[in-house]
Amino acid sequence: MVRAQMLSELEEIISYKQFADQPERQATMRKTWMKRLRGCQPDVEVWQRILQVRTLVLDPETDPVMWIKFANLCRKSERMALAEKTINSLLSPTQRHHSQGTHTKAPPNVVYAQLKFMWATGAREESLGFLRQFSASLSRDLAVETGDNPIHVDVPKHKLTELSKLLARCYFKTGQWQVELADNWGARNVEDILQSYYLATHFDPTWYKAWHTWALANFEVISYMEVQTQNRSLEGSGNGLVAHVVQAVDGKKN
């Protein structure tokens, strides 16, 4: 099956080269290849063989989305050396030189993939710190580009939408990673975590996972506060409990 697909794509690659003066048709073919790749079994060897064929016309920097997905698959499959190699292939030599710095010289989606890789290698505190900086920078850039006086007036609307969705995932990870760093809500920065989940829903209002996680986190906070109030009476604790109840219900409605 994989071999048949590779042979089919070799024929398509010839057509792709012939459409060099027709970027719209090439874009359509790339979308087809991406859709086909998503339908493949999540196996590192299978994806690697297919992507190697596509490098005949598409290098990783030109069409990074497929390679980012491959890097994520490698990371989830614990093929860390291949994941790192793939991420590095998405960086220019200058970007690669600065890849352990502030993470500001690579494309945003590559930065996000790189931060998830760093987290998986065990550099958790460092990854979270970089993610906070990156999210804040991305948020400022998005605010400027969607404001009244954008710096780049020719940025397509769908690109801004993609950027907003990426920012939502950054904030979601910020909350998720904080939860993973502490065992219980008493040791966590509750407000920061809930705010991170809320911002994920704000920048991607159609993302069900963000709404569900935000609501679930509020319910977990409620449960934790209920246990605490059973053991001791805290003045004003009821007001905080009510606030989280309202937020949890709002999250479940969306």
Side-chain angles (χ1 to χ4, degrees):
M1 176 70 90
V2 176
R3 184 169 296 177
Q5 179 174 333
M6 291 172 66
L7 289 173
S8 175
E9 291 200 359
L10 279 172
E11 294 179 358
E12 293 174 350
I13 283 170
I14 295 173
S15 298
Y16 186 91
K17 286 191 172 184
Q18 293 173 340
F19 296 148
D21 59 343
Q22 302 179 53
E24 295 82 6
R25 296 192 68 171
Q26 287 187 332
T28 299
M29 292 184 72
R30 289 197 300 271
K31 288 180 181 178
T32 300
W33 290 344
M34 175 58 75
K35 185 177 180 180
R36 190 181 296 154
L37 188 64
R38 288 194 179 113
C40 291
Q41 57 180 307
D43 182 272
V44 172
E45 279 70 27
V46 170
W47 280 48
Q48 188 175 26
R49 289 169 66 187
I50 293 173
L51 288 175
Q52 282 176 340
V53 172
R54 296 179 184 178
T55 57
L56 292 172
V57 289
L58 293 174
D59 61 75
E61 284 188 69
T62 301
D63 192 22
V65 177
M66 288 188 291
W67 290 92
I68 288 173
K69 290 187 177 296
F70 178 62
N72 290 337
L73 175 61
C74 292
R75 172 175 51 80
K76 293 174 182 177
S77 302
E78 298 183 354
R79 299 282 296 275
M80 304 305 285
L82 187 54
E84 183 176 23
K85 181 180 178 181
T86 303
I87 292 172
N88 285 337
S89 72
L90 298 169
L91 304 172
S92 67
T94 301
Q95 292 167 346
R96 203 171 298 133
H97 175 72
H98 292 282
S99 64
Q100 297 301 318
T102 59
H103 300 270
T104 59
K105 294 185 177 295
N109 53 356
V110 177
V111 173
Y112 182 56
Q114 189 176 40
L115 290 173
K116 289 191 292 183
F117 171 78
M118 284 182 59
W119 174 271
T121 61
R124 294 191 163 194
E125 293 287 354
E126 185 181 11
S127 302
L128 180 58
F130 278 131
L131 182 59
R132 289 183 187 278
Q133 295 175 28
F134 175 62
S135 300
S137 175
L138 199 60
S139 180
R140 287 192 297 269
D141 291 344
L142 186 62
V144 171
E145 295 302 333
T146 56
D148 295 331
N149 299 299
I151 297 176
H152 306 94
V153 294
D154 57 343
V155 177
K157 185 176 180 180
H158 75 273
K159 287 294 184 181
L160 294 176
T161 300
E162 289 176 4
L163 198 63
S164 183
K165 288 184 176 182
L166 176 62
L167 182 56
R169 277 136 189 85
C170 290
Y171 279 121
F172 184 88
K173 279 296 179 187
T174 301
Q176 188 179 58
W177 286 356
Q178 288 185 82
V179 169
E180 292 183 27
L181 284 174
D183 294 331
N184 59 74
W185 285 104
R188 296 168 182 160
N189 186 333
V190 175
E191 296 302 325
D192 192 36
I193 292 171
L194 295 181
Q195 178 68 3
S196 295
Y197 286 145
Y198 169 75
L199 288 173
T201 68
H202 172 74
F203 286 103
D204 188 358
T206 63
W207 191 17
Y208 171 78
K209 184 177 180 180
W211 285 106
H212 175 76
T213 305
W214 182 57
L216 183 61
N218 276 285
F219 274 120
E220 289 178 356
V221 171
I222 292 168
S223 299
Y224 174 79
M225 292 176 68
E226 286 178 339
V227 171
Q228 298 305 304
T229 54
Q230 287 175 2
N231 298 328
R232 64 183 185 275
S233 177
L234 296 176
E235 184 178 354
S237 62
N239 292 332
L241 187 61
V242 170
H244 289 298
V245 170
V246 172
Q247 291 181 0
V249 172
D250 285 344
K252 285 296 184 182
K253 286 180 180 179
N254 289 277

